[in-house]
Amino acid sequence: MMRTRRTAPAVARRLIPAVVSAVAPAAALAVLAVLVAGPAQAAGYRYWSFWDRTDGTWQFATQGPSSARPADGDVQGFRFAVSADSQDASKPRGAADFDTICAGTPAVDGAKRVALVIDFGTLADASGGAKPPAERTACAQVSPDATSAEALAAVAKPLRYNSAALLCSIAGYPRTGCGEQVSATGADRTDSGNSNNGTEASGTSRPDGTSDADGGPSAGLIGGLAAVIALAGAGVWQARRRRLRG
């Protein structure tokens, strides 16, 4: 008896449901696990954020301190804390009035005065049981073209930067660490990278400047899962073809 030869479209129609039923459940579970676990693990980053005092309120700075050039009479702030992005970043605390902060620093020709508020954060923001210093204010008297970073260096040494020019430490605090990612449980996950506006990045960037807006899995991970699914589907296809030929 002659065996009827099935056409390729007919075979494909029979195999597609088998491939989907064999591969989709495991793949869907893998993707779901990544999507669910990803946002739950990361709470934010521990870093120094940078602020401008405008009309009596703190505004997240749109430039980093190494590029911002404050004018005489400006008030700027630095706050060490854990936050995910500019929307939930902790603002500097304490007095923030220029006349009060710079009252003991008279104006001189050829220089500008910049009032700085430096807030070292809370115990909850600290890493490894460190005790943050009390917040302080200072009046930096610097050259007219000085940046905010130069003003900070004039009153709050030692400063520490990493290889990517991230401001990691002000007045020696913290002693270690630099823009590390913090899990939802408060544990450090990494110890590298750049903070957002404090080091020239902004918005919802990671400290290393890469996007983390949705908190989801990376494109590379999604691509890897897709490759696994494709390989599994090819295996099922080959197995069915061998059975049909037999």
Side-chain angles (χ1 to χ4, degrees), residues 63-163:
Q63 296 182 355
S66 64
S67 56
R69 297 183 185 276
D72 181 73
D74 281 355
V75 179
Q76 296 185 317
F78 294 84
R79 171 67 190 265
F80 188 75
V82 174
S83 62
D85 54 48
S86 61
Q87 302 304 312
D88 73 343
S90 299
K91 299 177 181 180
R93 300 166 296 170
D97 178 71
F98 176 84
D99 291 335
T100 300
I101 296 173
C102 289
T105 306
V108 297
D109 292 338
K112 65 182 177 184
R113 293 176 298 166
V114 181
L116 298 175
V117 178
I118 305 170
D119 188 340
F120 296 88
T122 66
L123 287 173
D125 298 319
S127 176
K131 183 179 180 180
E135 59 266 21
R136 68 168 79 167
T137 60
C139 185
Q141 194 163 57
V142 291
S143 64
D145 63 346
T147 65
S148 300
E150 290 171 326
L152 180 65
V155 298
K157 290 182 178 179
L159 305 180
R160 177 167 58 87
Y161 293 86
N162 72 358
S163 60

